[in-house]
Amino acid sequence: MIPAGRAIQDLNMLENSPNSSDLLSSPPAARTPQTLTEKIVQRYSVGVAQGKKVKSGDYVSIVPQFCMSHDNSWPISLIFLDTGATKVHDNRQIVMTLDHDVQNKSESNLKKYRQIEEFARKHECDFYPSERGIGHQIMIEEGYAWPGTVTVASDSHANSYGAMASIGTPVVRSDAASIWATGRTWWQVPPIAKVTLMGVLPPGVTGKDVIIALCGLFNQDDVLNHSIEFTGSEQTMRSISIDERITIANMTTEWGALSGLFPIDSVLISWLRAKATMSAMLNPKLGAKGRFNHDRINDLLQNQLTADPGATYAKTLYLNLSTLSPFVSGPNSVKVATPLCDLEAQKIPINKAYLVSCTNSRASDIAAAARVFREAAKDNATPKIAPSVNFYIAAASLPEQRLAEDAGDWQVLLNAGAKPLPSGCGPCIGLGDGLLESGEVGISASNRNFPGRMGAKSAITYLASPEVVAASALYGHIAGPGWYQKPDGVEKVIIGEGSGDHEIDKAMGIKDALDKIIAQAESVIVNAEKDMSGPTADSTAAVTDDIEETLTDILPGFSEKVEGEIVFCDADNINTDGIYPGCYTYQDNLTTEKMAEVCMENYDSSFRDIARAGDVLVGGFNFGCGSSREQAATAILAKEISLVVAGSFGNIFSRNSINNALMSVEVPRLVKRLRERFSKGSDGADAQLTRRTGWKLLWDVRRSKVVVTEDNGETWSQRVGELPPNVQEIIARGGLKKWVKVEIEKRSRVGGIQRKKDTITKK
């Protein structure tokens, strides 16, 4: 598939030009410098005006290189068929994997799996059956996620592909159906954060420790709804293997980001070369047709994408890897990160340990866990896990399991008493055997420790590296293998804003200040010129137009005002597991009534009795973070709540809201005011998770403002963002599925008219 958008500059021209070494060492600044993210998105955007450079904040129509879906492929196919589509637009673009509920052997689940496979075979889409592996691992090991591409998945951990220097970003079910039908979907280029990694990983410190530290130490929504670009010196990047990069990129999702992009560097190229050589040896007939081949890698090097000097980033952060030690996430939140040594001293007992998921269950991870038991062996006998612990293992894919089996690592863990599970998501998503029961404590090498995520809501969950999980299973409490040796002079983790280089940060600070002064000076000059010229009829009209432009045009069929009584869920980071529990996610036959009943169950089981039809649901900040499950929006609609307000939203929830015609708006002031009024202990108020407030909210969409009436009769208003016509159109039609259906019908009518004209012309 040829990428859409503008072609990148051919670096051969530089190499063959006079003084090429000077040009390459000091590349000229582009007229409109772009980040690596912006450059890649540019290549996969369609309909961009000639000469326009894609920038952060732009809404674009993207044609992704690949779109992966998993067990949700059948619900997606139903949306696809409901649109009136009969043929997949580009079957080479679609990959289907069965990975989430693979332990479920019920007839209903097996039937769904058969239906997915039959659909894939009918449309000649790539298909990977149950127990072949987790979709994200397959996308990487099979070469779908290729450097410099946009690769999406109907799953929140599409961020994993950033390890391959591919923009991996999640889409929701209706987006996937749109891609199946039209080849494209919409995307707003996020603000972009640059994260500079310094130093090198010390022995005993892993990629899991890096991302746990980033999530826990930069824990104020620093990169919420951002795209991340990781950068660092060649020495630093050489200390981070591809497997560790996958772990880091994977959990940028939990950090709040929409993608986590590593550079195209020597480490990645070496990994690709090894894969290409292996492909040539095992499948010589494929040649250049194989996704991994040396010609393709050569082309990648000749047209290597990098960020332009002077590219604009929304923020810059740094982490010195040399100062990092093993970390543990939790309990029950990725925003809490504690040095392993602190928890180890407490000897916190555990009941279950997990080496599972697309985050950390590759052959290298299994080898690290096996090493823990090998080094603890006495008299050549493999030690057993603690009698009070159940240790569950599942490889990220079947090829990774075979590598571990060939190395003897898989058998070491089995001999220690580990319980094998089929390759798939399993406990990580809260499905199948080995889930945490009420009151139990678990430690996992997976990616989420939200309450209720891996079993009972009352269970306690920690996240850690494979070796820490294995050591904890061995000793029966949170423990490490003792591999880490603290470097001399290191007393704390060095992190901060900026690049970590004082001189560069100082220079950039001066540059930013100068840019601001210049902009202010230009503004003064422009205003002075206007004042000197005096008011004109045109300028008076312009002022009038500006006032009129504050009124948003309302499309036919769209409500100009939405109002209701506020029901307040007073918590930040209410995730999609809290809104719609994972145990229901793949029960595709749940009734609307049942969805309404379980809405917010993992957050507050009393929500079902407190909230009423027609309410306005108000949450805290980062509402709807977590997975891509569409039911987080549709369950709220099933409760007959049509408007959700929050201080801020997780982007994946915002997409789901628009695509399912659930209205949402950010009003940080309202959240703060509600917390002032109903703070714990104020006026006798208790700490209710869900509260009827007696407050009323009206959203005047035409005037882009909300009007709040408090329980004491006081009224105030707040300007909010404009609801653009394209979003109104999707909501007015009842969601993206119905919007696509109308567009397909339009296309069919136009095609029919054109065919009639052609027939008449021929006659």
Side-chain angles (χ1 to χ4, degrees):
M1 173 179 169
I2 300 173
R6 299 185 58 189
I8 61 170
Q9 182 181 11
D10 186 355
L11 294 185
N12 284 327
M13 294 176 62
L14 290 178
E15 292 172 359
N16 297 325
S17 64
N19 302 317
S20 61
S21 60
D22 293 337
L23 287 170
L24 288 169
S25 61
S26 301
R31 288 186 179 179
T32 306
Q34 289 177 299
T35 64
L36 179 57
T37 299
E38 290 165 340
K39 283 188 172 183
I40 295 173
V41 173
Q42 181 96 46
R43 300 175 76 188
Y44 286 85
S45 297
V46 292
V48 177
Q50 183 70 28
K52 173 180 168 53
K53 291 290 186 75
V54 169
K55 299 294 289 180
S56 173
D58 289 348
Y59 281 91
V60 292
S61 181
I62 58 168
V63 179
Q65 184 87 351
F66 292 104
C67 174
M68 187 275 282
S69 57
H70 44 66
D71 294 30
N72 58 15
S73 298
W74 184 242
I76 292 169
S77 69
L78 295 178
I79 299 172
F80 169 83
L81 294 170
D82 282 348
T83 65
T86 57
K87 183 180 178 182
V88 171
H89 179 80
D90 182 359
N91 57 5
R92 297 167 301 174
Q93 195 180 22
I94 310 305
V95 183
M96 298 184 195
T97 65
L98 301 180
D99 62 6
H100 270 53
D101 204 10
V102 298
Q103 297 179 48
N104 183 355
K105 305 301 181 183
S106 68
E107 178 52 35
S108 61
N109 194 58
L110 294 177
K111 178 183 177 182
K112 179 171 71 174
Y113 278 9
R114 287 194 300 270
Q115 289 170 321
I116 294 170
E117 183 171 5
E118 288 166 3
F119 185 95
R121 301 301 182 204
K122 176 182 177 180
H123 294 274
E124 298 182 327
C125 303
D126 286 2
F127 172 80
Y128 294 86
S130 173
E131 302 187 23
R132 164 58 178 78
I134 301 173
H136 301 305
Q137 177 65 26
I138 289 171
M139 293 295 286
I140 291 170
E141 69 187 22
E142 293 294 334
Y144 294 104
W146 189 259
T149 65
V150 174
T151 305
V152 303
S154 186
D155 186 275
S156 58
H157 286 102
N159 295 35
S160 304
Y161 315 147
M164 299 293 105
S166 171
I167 294 179
T169 196
V171 295
V172 298
R173 294 179 180 186
S174 46
D175 290 322
S178 174
I179 293 169
W180 290 13
T182 68
R184 66 184 69 179
T185 190
W186 65 274
W187 203 54
Q188 184 180 23
V189 185
I192 301 162
K194 180 164 71 172
V195 177
T196 301
L197 303 175
M198 306 164 61
V200 296
L201 283 177
V205 180
T206 70
K208 189 58 165 280
D209 300 307
V210 173
I211 191 59
I212 287 177
L214 288 172
C215 289
L217 301 180
F218 290 108
N219 61 2
Q220 300 300 310
D221 294 337
D222 301 79
V223 295
L224 179 62
N225 298 332
H226 284 59
S227 283
I228 294 172
E229 292 183 12
F230 290 103
T231 186
S233 69
E234 182 176 354
Q235 182 186 25
T236 295
M237 289 306 185
R238 281 185 176 276
S239 77
I240 311 172
S241 70
I242 292 298
D243 282 1
E244 287 170 325
R245 294 182 187 195
I246 297 172
T247 299
I248 295 168
N250 177 281
M251 279 191 65
T252 58
T253 300
E254 280 63 47
W255 199 14
L258 298 177
S259 62
L261 194 63
F262 277 86
I264 302 171
D265 64 0
S266 61
V267 176
L268 178 58
I269 295 300
S270 296
W271 186 88
L272 293 171
R273 291 288 188 197
K275 295 287 284 186
T277 300
M278 185 65 68
S279 176
M281 292 170 59
L282 297 179
N283 305 289
K285 293 182 180 179
L286 275 179
K289 293 181 179 179
R291 280 183 288 273
F292 291 108
N293 68 74
H294 289 289
D295 288 343
R296 196 179 182 196
I297 300 169
N298 292 339
D299 182 65
L300 184 67
L301 287 170
Q302 290 171 0
N303 299 280
Q304 189 166 345
L305 286 172
T306 58
D308 291 324
T312 300
Y313 291 90
K315 60 180 61 178
T316 55
L317 306 171
Y318 68 88
L319 168 65
N320 189 324
L321 301 181
S322 298
T323 65
L324 201 59
S325 66
F327 266 75
V328 176
S329 172
N332 291 1
S333 173
V334 294
K335 292 193 171 188
V336 178
T338 306
L340 170 65
C341 59
D342 293 352
L343 294 181
E344 204 168 16
Q346 299 176 39
K347 296 187 182 297
I348 299 169
I350 65 165
N351 304 102
K352 289 178 175 135
Y354 304 89
L355 180 52
V356 299
S357 87
C358 54
T359 313
N360 272 121
S361 58
R362 282 165 283 280
S364 60
D365 302 313
I366 297 166
R371 179 187 165 194
V372 172
F373 287 91
R374 282 195 176 102
E375 292 186 354
K378 296 179 180 178
D379 301 324
N380 295 320
T382 301
K384 300 293 183 180
I385 61 174
S388 60
V389 176
N390 287 314
F391 183 22
Y392 298 92
I393 59 173
S397 70
L398 200 53
E400 292 292 319
Q401 181 174 326
R402 287 171 179 160
L403 287 171
E405 288 171 342
D406 291 344
D409 298 325
W410 189 260
Q411 193 59 46
V412 166
L413 297 181
L414 295 182
N415 291 344
K419 298 182 178 182
L421 298 173
S423 180
C425 301
C428 177
I429 187 68
L431 297 171
D433 295 335
L435 303 187
L436 287 169
E437 297 179 10
S438 181
E440 287 190 327
V441 177
I443 188 166
S444 178
S446 54
N447 46 47
R448 286 187 180 142
N449 53 1
F450 305 149
R453 169 75 179 186
M454 298 185 69
K457 182 181 173 183
S458 62
I460 295 174
T461 315
Y462 295 88
L463 303 177
S465 66
E467 47 262 55
V468 170
V469 169
S472 301
L474 175 63
Y475 298 115
H477 58 83
I478 295 178
W483 300 343
Y484 172 69
Q485 299 293 322
K486 188 175 80 167
D488 292 338
V490 172
E491 298 300 329
K492 64 178 182 179
V493 179
I494 297 177
I495 63 168
E497 296 185 5
S499 70
D501 186 313
H502 176 70
E503 292 302 320
I504 292 176
D505 291 340
K506 181 179 178 181
M508 288 304 296
I510 294 171
K511 179 181 180 298
D512 290 342
L514 288 172
D515 288 345
K516 186 175 181 180
I517 291 170
I518 291 169
Q520 290 173 340
E522 289 176 346
S523 178
V524 169
I525 292 169
V526 169
N527 290 332
E529 289 174 344
K530 288 181 180 178
D531 292 340
M532 291 174 66
S533 61
T536 65
D538 289 342
S539 64
T540 304
V543 172
T544 304
D545 289 342
D546 286 344
I547 295 172
E548 290 177 352
E549 284 176 2
T550 62
L551 297 178
T552 302
D553 290 332
I554 304 298
L555 297 182
F558 194 85
S559 299
E560 184 172 329
K561 296 179 179 179
V562 184
E563 59 184 316
E565 182 178 345
I566 292 174
V567 60
F568 184 34
C569 293
D570 186 8
D572 295 333
N573 308 302
I574 296 177
N575 56 73
T576 50
D577 284 86
I579 300 168
Y580 193 80
C583 58
Y584 304 114
T585 302
Y586 298 100
Q587 296 182 33
D588 299 323
N589 58 350
L590 251 62
T591 64
T592 301
E593 292 75 18
K594 183 63 176 177
M595 291 182 71
E597 180 185 331
V598 303
C599 180
M600 304 297 286
E601 183 176 273
N602 268 356
Y603 165 70
D604 180 13
S605 58
S606 65
F607 178 88
R608 68 185 64 162
D609 301 315
I610 297 173
R612 302 170 188 162
D615 281 343
V616 172
L617 171 57
V618 179
F621 291 83
N622 197 19
F623 184 91
C625 57
S627 77
S628 62
R629 67 192 63 168
E630 206 150 51
Q631 298 97 323
T634 57
I636 293 173
L637 287 168
K639 192 68 177 172
E640 298 185 46
I641 293 172
S642 60
L643 174 60
V644 181
V645 182
S648 61
F649 289 99
N651 179 273
I652 199 74
F653 182 84
S654 295
R655 286 193 76 92
N656 269 322
S657 297
I658 293 170
N659 290 354
N660 288 281
L662 172 64
M663 297 182 70
S664 60
V665 63
E666 295 183 349
V667 190
R669 178 184 172 189
L670 174 59
V671 177
K672 294 173 182 176
R673 181 71 191 103
L674 283 166
R675 286 177 172 169
E676 289 171 359
R677 171 64 181 84
F678 298 106
S679 59
K680 186 177 180 180
S682 173
D683 297 329
D686 56 14
Q688 294 179 20
L689 293 175
T690 305
R691 175 191 300 280
R692 298 205 66 81
T693 62
W695 293 26
K696 301 292 178 64
L697 180 141
L698 181 146
W699 181 11
D700 188 332
V701 179
R702 180 166 172 74
R703 289 171 175 77
S704 299
K705 71 175 182 178
V706 297
V707 179
V708 176
T709 304
E710 300 186 5
D711 55 345
N712 59 6
E714 180 183 341
T715 299
W716 52 270
S717 63
Q718 174 72 52
R719 295 279 301 175
V720 295
E722 181 180 348
L723 198 66
N726 58 338
V727 175
Q728 286 185 42
E729 186 177 6
I730 291 172
I731 294 174
R733 288 184 181 175
L736 186 63
K737 178 178 74 174
K738 293 181 180 178
W739 182 90
V740 172
K741 184 175 184 177
V742 171
E743 294 303 306
I744 289 175
E745 289 172 350
K746 282 182 182 177
R747 193 182 305 169
S748 298
R749 284 197 298 271
V750 171
I753 293 169
Q754 185 61 49
R755 283 192 294 273
K756 287 181 180 179
K757 288 182 178 179
D758 293 343
T759 301
I760 293 170
T761 303
K762 287 177 182 178
K763 289 180 178 179

